[in-house]
Amino acid sequence: MTDTPKTLPKTLPKILPETLQDRLLQGLSAVNALLEQENTLLSSGQWQDVEKLLPRKRTLMEQMRKLLPAEAKPLTPEQRSAKAAPEMEAATKQFHALVRANEELLQNAIAAQGTLIQLVLEDAAQEQRIGYGASGGYAVGQHNSALALRSDV
């Protein structure tokens, strides 16, 4: 008797959350997954691909904002621990860790790009100052000229 492989549905059934906490947990899980993806891209230096995630990130954060009451009073620690499911606490802790890592990775990417730009500018300025003289040796330029940058760099 041979086992026939079961076919999986092309899409998973959508589970509708019943409570606000369930909806928040679902939204937080989606945001966490996106932050993990963004952090992976930032860690591997794929900065251009991070930009492609921004529309989805904005959409998810707007959805989360709509779930929260506009004028809700902050809960005390006792209220939070009594009302929050363990899954919600874990997702919230993961969110905070991912945000901290994301902030550090973004700062590192900004610093790396700043260094790269500085190296390009220094190299371009060096090329403008040094050239060949009449005798075939290096000659330092006597005039200062403007340095033009391409807008697509």
Side-chain angles (χ1 to χ4, degrees):
M1 191 161 118
T2 61
D3 291 331
T4 57
K6 294 181 182 179
T7 58
L8 296 174
K10 291 186 181 192
T11 59
L12 295 174
K14 199 168 199 172
I15 300 170
L16 297 175
E18 296 179 14
T19 66
L20 174 61
Q21 186 166 265
D22 292 338
R23 291 190 302 270
L24 286 171
L25 183 58
Q26 187 179 40
L28 200 51
S29 295
V31 170
N32 286 349
L34 184 81
L35 284 173
E36 285 175 345
Q37 184 180 6
E38 184 174 317
N39 289 352
T40 299
L41 291 171
L42 287 168
S43 295
S44 62
Q46 299 175 4
W47 303 319
Q48 297 84 0
D49 294 334
V50 171
E51 186 178 354
K52 297 173 187 172
L53 298 177
L54 286 177
R56 176 82 176 130
K57 189 176 187 180
R58 285 186 187 109
T59 300
L60 288 173
M61 295 309 291
E62 183 60 29
Q63 289 171 353
M64 290 290 292
R65 191 175 8 264
K66 287 179 181 177
L67 288 175
L68 298 171
E71 296 182 24
K73 293 180 183 178
L75 298 175
T76 65
E78 296 82 22
Q79 290 172 320
R80 274 187 293 195
S81 64
K83 292 186 177 187
E87 298 86 9
M88 186 61 142
E89 288 289 330
T92 302
K93 285 180 184 177
Q94 181 187 16
F95 173 75
H96 289 293
L98 288 167
V99 167
R100 281 191 299 274
N102 188 263
E103 182 178 11
E104 184 177 330
L105 289 166
L106 284 170
Q107 290 299 325
N108 290 343
I110 290 168
Q113 287 188 349
T115 301
L116 180 63
I117 290 170
Q118 187 63 35
L119 289 172
V120 169
L121 291 175
E122 287 174 6
D123 188 45
Q126 183 72 14
E127 285 181 13
Q128 287 184 346
R129 286 193 302 260
I130 298 176
Y132 291 106
S135 64
Y138 287 111
V140 177
Q142 297 299 324
H143 54 48
N144 291 332
S145 59
L147 176 63
L149 295 177
R150 292 177 25 197
S151 64
D152 61 342
V153 177

